[in-house]
């Protein structure tokens, strides 16, 4: 067996490759489900993360919470801001820092998206099975701690 074939023969066991492939499929699944609300799954997740803090959240806090780099968060926040879904305001105490809050329009989009997300979530759990799904979440939780 050649070295190339030997390396490729184990590729189907690669956690990174399998997770990336699965993530693409699941992202497309949720994006399609949320389409009637006019947002994608990444936007929905960020809006939810921001909405948890009434007083707003900083880019750093959001990046840490979402396990994303600050540049990616900043780019996504700018898209949400341009679409009128979030407000970005300079902090009074430190003008170098910004607070992000969900706008009135953003709250309306979240309200419209929630039932769509719930249906998609229920279908996904039903497809996998509740016990398997819970085990899957536990596994993902363990893997996230590798950071």
């Amino acid at each position: 067996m050649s070295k190339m074939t030997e390396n490729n023969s184990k590729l189907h066991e690669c956690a990174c490759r399998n997770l990336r492939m699965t993530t693409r499929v699941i992202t497309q699944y949720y994006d399609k489900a949320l389409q009637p609300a006019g947002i994608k799954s990444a936007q929905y997740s960020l809006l939810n993360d921001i909405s948890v803090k009434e007083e707003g959240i900083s880019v750093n806090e959001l990046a840490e919470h979402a396990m994303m780099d600050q540049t990616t968060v900043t780019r996504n926040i700018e898209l949400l801001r341009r679409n009128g879904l979030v407000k970005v305001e300079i902090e009074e105490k430190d003008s170098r820092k910004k607070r992000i809050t969900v706008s009135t329009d953003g709250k309306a989009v979240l309200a419209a998206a929630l039932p769509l997300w719930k249906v998609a979530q229920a279908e996904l759990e039903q497809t996998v099975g509740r016990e398997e799904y819970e085990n899957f979440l536990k596994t993902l939780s363990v893997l996230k701690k590798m950071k």
Side-chain angles (χ1 to χ4, degrees):
M1 184 183 300
S2 74
K3 194 70 155 170
M4 183 99 150
T5 306
E6 184 179 317
N7 288 341
N8 289 341
S9 69
K10 293 287 189 182
L11 197 55
H12 70 280
E13 296 175 8
C14 177
C16 181
R17 180 175 185 263
N18 279 287
L19 283 171
R20 290 178 62 85
M21 289 168 45
T22 304
T23 299
R24 284 191 290 273
V25 170
I26 296 299
T27 299
Q28 291 169 2
Y29 169 78
Y30 278 100
D31 284 351
K32 184 177 179 183
L34 294 169
Q35 196 171 15
I39 61 173
K40 295 189 178 234
S41 58
Q43 296 167 321
Y44 180 73
S45 293
L46 283 175
L47 282 173
N48 269 301
D49 290 344
I50 296 164
S51 72
V52 170
K53 290 194 166 189
E54 246 344 273
E55 72 280 4
I57 190 168
S58 72
V59 170
N60 290 348
E61 291 170 317
L62 187 55
E64 187 175 312
H65 178 76
M67 298 179 81
M68 298 168 70
D69 63 75
Q70 290 180 12
T71 305
T72 303
V73 169
T74 300
R75 190 172 46 248
N76 282 290
I77 292 303
E78 180 55 25
L79 176 65
L80 292 171
R81 189 196 62 75
R82 276 188 275 139
N83 290 331
L85 303 179
V86 297
K87 294 185 283 184
V88 180
E89 298 170 340
I90 305 289
E91 282 192 22
E92 290 178 20
K93 295 177 185 173
D94 187 345
S95 62
R96 296 170 297 172
K97 294 184 180 179
K98 298 175 184 173
R99 299 301 290 169
I100 306 155
T101 56
V102 178
S103 69
T104 303
D105 286 349
K107 289 175 184 174
V109 167
L110 272 176
L114 180 61
L116 302 170
W117 176 85
K118 283 183 176 180
V119 168
Q121 184 69 16
E123 288 175 357
L124 183 65
E125 288 178 24
Q126 185 178 6
T127 299
V128 176
R130 185 69 198 155
E131 187 176 334
E132 285 294 321
Y133 188 76
E134 288 175 7
N135 288 334
F136 174 64
L137 291 178
K138 286 177 188 173
T139 300
L140 290 176
S141 181
V142 168
L143 293 174
K144 283 192 279 189
K145 292 175 185 171
M146 291 177 62
K147 183 182 175 190

